[in-house]
Amino acid sequence: MVEPGSGLHRFRGIAFVGNYLPRKCGIATFTFDLAESLAQQAGADQPVIVCAMNDLPEGYAYPERVKFEVSQDYPLDYNRLTDFLNFSRIDVVSLQHEYGIFGGESGANILTLLRDLHRPVVVTCHTVLKNPSPVQKEVFGELAQRATRLVVMSRKAFGFLEEVYQVPREKIVLIPHGIHDTPFIDPSFFKDKFELEGRKVLLTFGLLGRNKGIEYMIEALADIVKHHPKTTYLVLGATHPAVVRYEGESYRLSLQRRVLELGLEKHVLFHPRFVDQDELLEYLGATDIFVAPYLNLDQITSGALSYAMGAGKAVVTTPFWHAEEVVSEERGILVPVQDAASLAHEINRLLSNEVLLGAMRKKAYLYCRNMIWPAVARSYLGLFNEVRTKAPKTFPVASSMTRPLSAANLPEPKLDHLLRLSDDTGLAHHAFHTIPDWSFGYYLEDAASGLVTASKYYNTFSDPQAMHLAKICLALIRLLTTTHGDKPYQHLDYARRPQGEASPIALGKVIWALGYVVHQGPDILVKAANDLFYWMVSNMEITHPRTLAYAILGSCDYLSRFGGATAVRRFLTNSAGQLDEICSRADWIDTWPGADPGVAVQAIAVYARIEKSKRLKEKSQTLANHLLEAYKQGTEFLKNGDNPDEEELPISATTFIEAMGAMFHLENNRDYLLPIRKAVDWYLGKNRINASLYDFTSGGCHDALTASGLNENQGTEATIFYLLAFLTLHRLANADRSMHP
């Protein structure tokens, strides 16, 4: 093992990247404590700055040490952070890693930061999985490759890095989890503060979730109080925010019901809230035995266990990985998982033997002396000094300028105007300047496109307003397609009365939207979207070119999640065959019945990719070349057919971008990013009238660019398709960095 150096060294600065608020979760507390300890050890003239990850759109009220905030699900922020760190006066970046901290699949967004970062990176590994999923292994593998050193907190984690991830031994450093330096005192000293005088106190603390196994400790307590009636079990901590999002407080309430059923209400105290450091240490001070009945044994590090042992507490725990390593040589007791009888037996044994209890407390306390924060901080400082002295000299560079697409060079998509155009029924079909024109009512086509946009926006930003809008759009789709017999309607008037028969285009976009939600939409909408998708596919015969293209996109999305759906596959094969034939005509773009021929190229490219068809791949290349020629490599989007006003429409530019993006994924060819960049610049003002269609103030998009200027209205279709384009652009920028680091 590599042992970090000792002694203090002078740095220009150290930057931390990770969760930070000490009352938020274990890793945030670790990052906070380590950053503060390093600041104390390094001195005021060697700044320690923090770049904090936000899992809420509104962020947090951080202390002054936080200099940069990152929305974990937003790739643009990682690009901005890269440039911030490259231009900061720092020597080393300390990255606190756990999969759930960073956005993207298995936390892949953090790779966006690392690929263009020109500073050495020391990664502290809070989670090291023995059996990672393929994606987890791939993400962590690249993370380990780009890191200068990886810090682990246990010997088992050290072994996993070598054996599972093939990290070279000399790249790994073992530094224990830090703890606060608390005195070894009698638990009675703090008990009066909690009105627990004369009682034996058992404690489990940390964010509450079903993997804590507290129900088994409650079952054990029924036996414990028979032998030691003056015993209180404290369950300290708020329910994990992720658990609250999906199931509320159902787990805690089930525990409380069980307490009542067993008649233990005088022996169990729930404190369902966050506590600050000082209060936590007081609770620990009043504790006789710390209990960790955890169900997940694949836990490589436990801050709660470290804090408890460091405070001189006897420990009874299930044999999760970290516990197996530190709870040995009579420093604690291991019990089988899901075994209330063993918990009761061992706790009764300790409570009945003060000599054994006292000896165990002392051994745990002495074992943890090298884990106090000043000692841990000095180990990190020694490691940072070694890393920065060996790092090659680098020069600041703005990574956003080195690629055709970079999230830092793209406007941030804003939902503001689309929300302005909506109410609780749906989206206004038209706008008068920037206000909704409700006289046209609510259209099925807008609901479908809006559902895709809102879902994609929610996936990117976790914005609850986007989720709300997606629900509204899906509800309107259901109302117009399935609740009036077999006849889908085109729209509702403003009095909410169904009007007209749905056009083939609207129905094609509905299939597109529903397939997208089934594959990539918010989980809460998937079941409803799945039922509606099957109803649509089973009740439609389509021949219209635009309908075919949108239906192919939706079907490909659907089969990406449910590949065995044979009825959908037949529908897709038939639709793709028809579109293939239509696009075989030499004048297919000129005769395309709409301003979105790019959707045909996208549909065939996506279908070629999932079918792995060489013929269709070559066909999509030919069609893409036709599109590039028609739209002058992405610089002009004149609507085909009768066009006396020489209109260029956002839907043309967006479907062009989507088509080139599909070709980029199909061929892994960066040449397609260059015309995409030109189309982006068309939106932003590099066009024949030098005017930006995107309105930076409203977050909307002008309906058209014409020979006489911009159409002043910012309607639903234009705004939806601008949003779709820029959400896709951010994903393409991220994909480019992943494919071509």
Side-chain angles (χ1 to χ4, degrees), residues 42-87:
D45 59 339
Q46 302 170 52
V48 174
I49 66 172
V50 174
C51 307
M53 307 303 300
N54 288 333
D55 56 1
L56 296 176
E58 63 271 23
Y60 297 90
Y62 290 111
E64 187 178 351
R65 194 174 301 286
V66 174
K67 304 299 184 185
F68 200 97
E69 297 180 41
V70 175
S71 293
Q72 65 178 24
D73 294 314
Y74 188 21
L76 171 60
D77 278 3
Y78 295 84
N79 291 106
R80 289 171 172 164
L81 177 56
T82 301
D83 287 347
F84 173 79
L85 293 174
N86 282 340
F87 282 90

Side-chain angles (χ1 to χ4, degrees), residues 9-17 34-35 37-43 45-51 65 67 84-85 88-96 119-120 122 377 380-385 388:
H9 306 276
R10 301 188 67 80
F11 294 86
R12 289 184 302 173
I14 303 164
F16 278 82
V17 177
L34 179 55
S37 298
L38 278 170
Q40 293 172 12
Q41 296 291 323
D45 59 339
Q46 302 170 52
V48 174
I49 66 172
V50 174
C51 307
R65 194 174 301 286
K67 304 299 184 185
F84 173 79
L85 293 174
S88 295
R89 290 181 56 80
I90 59 169
D91 295 290
V92 180
V93 174
S94 175
L95 175 67
Q96 308 301 308
R119 293 290 183 272
V122 174
Y380 272 95
L381 279 173
L383 173 61
F384 293 159
N385 184 64
R388 62 113 182 190

Side-chain angles (χ1 to χ4, degrees), residues 554-575:
S555 299
C556 287
D557 259 323
Y558 189 92
L559 290 170
S560 294
R561 180 158 189 175
F562 299 118
T566 54
V568 177
R569 186 165 293 279
R570 285 193 296 270
F571 176 83
L572 173 59
T573 301
N574 179 58
S575 300

